[in-house]
Amino acid sequence: MSVVELQKLARRSPRTSQATPDNKAALAFLGPWVLGALVLTLGPVLASLYLAFTDYNLLQDANWIGLANFERMLTDVRLHQSLVVTFVYVLVGVPGQLLVALALALLLDRGLRGRAIYRSAFYLPSLLGASVAIAVLWRLVFGGEGLVNAMLGLVGIHTTTSWIGSPDTALGTIILLHIWTFGSPMVIFLAGLRQIPAELYEAAATDGAGPWRRFHAVTLPLLTPIIFFNLVLATINSFSSFTQAFIVSGGTGGPSDSLLFYTLYLYQEGFSSFRMGYASALAWLLVLIIGVFTAINFWLSKYWVHYEN
């Protein structure tokens, strides 16, 4: 009997038909998710793409204006300021957060007593850092009569300067808040450290490698996939940050637009000025920026990320 006849016989076999899974239950469970993805995700995405080429103010019908919204971006001074603020926030905040997260993960990986308690305590800021309550607390801490100035007064530095009220220091306080939410990448780093075989450290120690050499030759190369994963997630999350700048600046982006994050400017254009068409164009520009940064990270990863194979 030929191979083709055997395949035909196998397809007609009752055993094969009985082994075929029934997909009806799976489709029933997937149905609400697919419907939600189409209605709540894909629908608004396509609508915003259309509105990006229109003049729309939420009260009147959208008027097609072609590339006028994108041409306006070239001369929009506040947009350029928001890009500068956001890029500084990302380029300083993301490395700072990952460095703190990695340092604490290394500390917890040393086998401290009560490690589970420390891990939970360090993870807590990631759960609360993006909340309105923490942003309000941050505004009070760095205010003119806040905790920071009170602590400085204890060491003889008396000042009533509001750290969030000065254009020179306002963005720095938000970057500190971002770095403070190191819990999520820290937990991921800790999980990666636990997967590194102890035999590699023992072999390095036998060869006379000290702590720094073991970290540089063993820990860091094997941890690069985890670093890359955290880097991509942190970059995307940083570009989409909104709550902290909105609460601390009172929704204005001040002082002097020093806290005018890109997402905050997009919100102002869409829901304060009712220029929803222009806001949609800004949203698609943000998608493009995040896509470019993500693509650059993936392209550069082949030079520094090491996998076992």
Side-chain angles (χ1 to χ4, degrees):
M1 183 177 294
S2 65
V3 176
V4 176
E5 292 175 342
L6 287 174
Q7 292 176 345
K8 292 180 179 179
L9 181 61
R11 283 195 292 266
R12 292 196 301 265
S13 174
R15 179 179 300 177
T16 303
S17 62
Q18 291 176 1
T20 301
D22 186 4
N23 295 327
K24 294 181 179 180
L27 292 175
F29 281 105
L30 287 174
W33 182 88
V34 173
L35 181 62
L38 293 175
V39 176
L40 301 178
T41 303
L42 183 60
V45 167
L46 296 178
S48 69
L49 180 59
Y50 166 74
L51 293 176
F53 298 93
T54 65
D55 180 15
Y56 181 52
N57 60 7
L58 292 177
L59 302 177
Q60 298 174 344
D61 294 335
N63 180 31
W64 183 269
I65 57 175
L67 297 176
N69 286 328
F70 296 95
E71 293 173 354
R72 178 189 168 189
M73 294 179 184
L74 300 176
T75 57
D76 190 343
V77 177
R78 296 199 75 211
L79 170 61
H80 301 163
Q81 172 66 13
S82 70
L83 287 172
V84 171
V85 171
T86 303
F87 284 152
V88 172
Y89 176 76
V90 172
L91 296 177
V92 177
V94 170
Q97 184 189 67
L98 296 184
L99 285 174
V100 172
L102 179 57
L104 290 175
L106 291 170
L107 180 63
L108 292 178
D109 190 53
R110 297 174 64 89
L112 295 177
R113 179 175 298 179
R115 181 174 56 192
I117 299 176
Y118 285 113
R119 183 172 54 195
S120 301
F122 289 151
Y123 182 71
L124 189 60
S126 289
L127 298 177
L128 303 177
S131 65
V132 174
I134 294 299
V136 173
L137 177 63
W138 212 257
R139 186 174 182 175
L140 295 175
V141 167
F142 287 93
E145 299 179 357
L147 180 62
V148 172
N149 286 342
M151 297 296 293
L152 291 176
L154 295 178
V155 295
I157 303 175
H158 300 283
T159 178
T160 58
T161 302
S162 175
W163 297 88
I164 63 172
S166 172
D168 298 328
T169 57
L171 181 57
T173 62
I174 303 299
I175 292 176
L176 285 177
L177 175 57
H178 179 69
I179 295 175
W180 180 66
T181 60
F182 55 80
S184 181
M186 182 207 68
V187 171
I188 298 175
F189 277 137
L190 185 59
L193 290 171
R194 305 299 292 177
Q195 300 300 316
I196 298 177
E199 293 81 4
L200 297 179
Y201 292 111
E202 295 172 359
T206 303
D207 290 340
W212 169 249
R213 182 61 181 171
R214 290 197 298 268
F215 171 77
H216 185 267
V218 179
T219 304
L220 199 58
L222 294 180
L223 205 61
T224 50
I226 306 298
I227 297 175
F228 173 65
F229 176 78
N230 276 332
L231 176 63
V232 172
L233 288 185
T235 301
I236 295 174
N237 292 333
S238 297
F239 271 112
S240 57
S241 295
F242 171 78
T243 304
Q244 301 92 327
F246 180 82
I247 297 300
V248 172
S249 68
T252 64
S256 301
D257 286 344
S258 60
L259 295 181
L260 187 63
F261 282 26
Y262 189 96
T263 51
L264 178 56
Y265 181 60
L266 190 156
Y267 171 85
Q268 291 177 351
E269 287 295 310
F271 297 98
S272 297
S273 302
F274 297 106
R275 288 189 282 264
M276 193 59 68
Y278 187 56
S280 298
L282 291 175
W284 279 98
L285 177 60
L286 179 61
V287 171
L288 178 62
I289 292 173
I290 293 176
V292 169
F293 269 77
T294 304
I296 291 174
N297 283 330
F298 272 91
W299 178 71
L300 292 176
S301 66
K302 62 183 179 181
Y303 297 106
W304 64 275
V305 178
H306 307 283
Y307 297 98
E308 291 184 1
N309 56 355

